Amino acid sequence: MSGVREDGASSKHHAHMIGGDGPNSYGRNSAYQKELLVPAHDLLQQLISKHLDTNNSTHDTFRIADLGCSVGGNTFFAVENMIGAVERRYESDRRRVPEFHVFFNDVIGNDFNTLFKQLPAARTYLAAAAPGSFHGRLFPKESIHLAHCSTALHWLSRSLESSNKGRIHYAGAGREVREAYAAQYKRDMDCFLRARGEELVAGGLMVLILIGYRDGFVLGSDSSIGESFDILGSCLYEMAKMGKIGEEEVDCFNLPFYYPCGAEVEAVIEANGLFSVETLTEMGAPMKGEADPATLVGHMRAVIGVLVEERFGSGVVEELFQLHLNKTIERAREKPFIYESRHREIIHFVLLKRNNPS
Ligand SMILES: C[S@@+](CC[C@H](N)C(=O)[O-])C[C@H]1O[C@@H](n2cnc3c(N)ncnc32)[C@H](O)[C@@H]1O
């Protein structure tokens, strides 16, 4: 049976990025995500300068949270950008710059040990971990002044368990599957916003950097994300044919990623009602230029290697990604899918302000 079961069956996953600093680690395979933080830097500077209220008396200690920080230099880069912007704003208001307390959040399986070993020695902030899912509460009420979440909110809290024969994602799938993903995304975003609504101070700011699409776009195989997932799916089915994994298991394996269009993001924020949208804009898309298959597959493995292992066992990961690499090289030779025209994804840069509780 193809489609989504009426009970909308789904299961929580416990995936995280590949830790450590080895060749397959997220830290060494996250140039794509870093590319987004660079254009975000300028926007952040302008918008924090415009929207941050330095009159807020709770600012003796200024608390920042990076949600879905993972491991590696990207989170430190983002945190330093934010601190730089906040400092400049305080200085231009001729106010004493507060102390900074930064919370690094990710799921509990994240490699926090490696993260904290790599903390920059010359930092100007105190650091703490906030382990747990950002779909629920992480911090005391009204304690956070600035939250940031980059390329993490496309992770759904659960994987759809229903049969989606021939595919491992909604890209190119039928309406039923697409709608089930969209509904899960809405629920997850609402949980995320409700939790942050409790935790941010009134007037507190939140920056979201989201991978998504333009309004009206239906994600198919004619996009780099869709094509990559199609290739990975075909590798899993090939391994099933070889008897290494069960075919039915592949039918029910759905990657828990959703890529919204701007209108969907806006609608869910509006329905939640706790934040006002100060900015929702399209930022330059990443990886516009050439990207070699090894980089693409390395990135994919760092991000979903643990998810695959959780589902199919550790024995399949090496072979799966080798197969994935071979097929990606083959496909790139036949019809280079790294062309700009196939890069349909865009990046939404969103700045939210916590409304004053009525
Ligand atoms: C692609 S990485 C992005 C990491 C980092 N923000 C960057 O820009 O490089 C996405 C991160 O989000 C984390 N993540 C996914 N779902 C999460 C959740 N529910 N709560 C906290 N972190 C989550 C993943 O574990 C992963 O580390």
Side-chain angles (χ1 to χ4, degrees):
M1 181 197 80
S2 172
V4 179
R5 283 211 314 253
E6 280 194 359
D7 61 3
S10 62
S11 70
K12 276 214 175 240
H13 58 78
H14 301 96
H16 52 82
M17 305 298 98
I18 294 184
D21 57 4
N24 297 321
S25 64
Y26 180 79
R28 286 174 59 176
N29 292 278
S30 45
Y32 170 94
Q33 291 83 351
K34 173 73 185 281
E35 270 186 58
L36 308 184
L37 295 173
V38 175
H41 171 270
D42 291 348
L43 273 169
L44 248 164
Q45 304 295 315
Q46 288 162 24
L47 292 169
I48 287 182
S49 154
K50 182 167 170 204
H51 292 284
L52 183 72
D53 175 11
T54 57
N55 283 317
N56 191 325
S57 60
T58 64
H59 285 191
D60 276 350
T61 302
F62 193 98
R63 292 183 206 86
I64 296 178
D66 189 26
L67 306 164
C69 63
S70 197
V71 186
N74 292 1
T75 184
F76 304 134
F77 180 79
V79 162
E80 276 159 27
N81 283 345
M82 286 186 276
I83 290 182
V86 174
E87 279 175 343
R88 271 188 282 284
R89 177 64 212 262
Y90 272 84
E91 282 160 6
S92 76
D93 285 359
R94 298 185 185 280
R95 288 183 167 263
R96 187 172 57 81
V97 174
E99 274 199 312
F100 291 97
H101 199 182
V102 177
F103 296 89
F104 292 90
N105 157 259
D106 210 293
V107 294
I108 53 172
N110 187 54
D111 185 358
F112 286 102
N113 284 339
T114 299
L115 176 72
F116 286 114
K117 270 190 214 142
Q118 294 175 346
L119 266 174
R123 67 189 178 278
T124 56
Y125 55 89
L126 299 162
S133 171
F134 54 45
H135 293 120
R137 284 288 301 277
L138 297 164
F139 305 106
K141 283 189 178 183
E142 295 181 51
S143 62
I144 301 293
H145 301 97
L146 175 59
H148 177 268
C149 185
S150 182
T151 56
L153 273 168
H154 55 285
W155 275 83
L156 300 175
S157 63
R158 342 184 123 253
S159 298
L160 234 66
E161 282 297 322
S162 309
S163 179
N164 180 17
K165 211 167 175 45
R167 306 193 172 279
I168 58 168
H169 192 243
Y170 70 90
R175 192 169 53 87
E176 230 180 324
V177 173
R178 281 189 275 120
E179 285 179 358
Y181 265 83
Q184 186 63 47
Y185 178 74
K186 263 196 217 158
R187 284 192 289 274
D188 284 345
M189 272 301 279
D190 187 56
C191 289
F192 175 87
L193 292 168
R194 273 192 280 130
R196 301 297 84 74
E198 301 252 20
E199 297 164 351
L200 262 74
V201 299
L205 300 177
M206 179 151 69
V207 175
L208 308 178
I209 297 172
L210 313 169
I211 307 172
Y213 289 91
R214 298 211 170 98
D215 291 351
F217 182 80
V218 178
L219 182 57
S221 304
D222 58 343
S223 65
S224 49
I225 286 180
E227 183 145 27
S228 279
F229 291 164
D230 274 2
I231 297 175
L232 186 68
S234 72
C235 297
L236 281 166
Y237 278 108
E238 207 165 307
M239 289 184 74
K241 276 209 184 76
M242 292 189 272
K244 304 202 167 173
I245 51 180
E247 188 171 328
E248 277 179 18
E249 266 181 291
V250 185
D251 290 344
C252 295
F253 176 65
N254 291 298
L255 292 170
F257 304 136
Y258 188 78
Y259 305 101
C261 62
E264 278 174 293
V265 176
E266 216 164 356
V268 77
I269 296 166
E270 202 170 299
N272 167 273
L274 298 174
F275 293 88
S276 59
V277 180
E278 301 299 333
T279 301
L280 196 166
T281 185
E282 188 180 312
M283 216 171 63
M287 273 202 187
K288 279 288 193 193
E290 286 295 305
D292 65 292
T295 305
L296 288 176
V297 175
H299 164 250
M300 186 89 113
R301 180 176 179 160
V303 172
I304 63 176
V306 175
L307 197 68
V308 168
E309 191 174 317
E310 189 182 37
R311 177 55 72 99
F312 300 103
S314 57
V316 309
V317 175
E318 193 57 49
E319 191 175 345
L320 175 68
F321 285 100
Q322 189 52 53
L323 204 57
H324 190 207
L325 178 59
N326 297 345
K327 282 200 182 209
T328 305
I329 292 171
E330 227 172 82
R331 186 73 65 95
R333 260 194 225 117
E334 292 163 8
K335 53 169 189 156
F337 65 97
I338 325 297
Y339 282 165
E340 187 145 329
S341 61
R342 299 188 77 76
H343 267 274
R344 304 279 169 85
E345 67 262 31
I346 58 160
I347 303 301
H348 306 295
F349 181 101
V350 188
L351 180 76
L352 302 181
K353 187 179 266 188
R354 176 70 173 99
N355 298 333
N356 286 325
S358 45

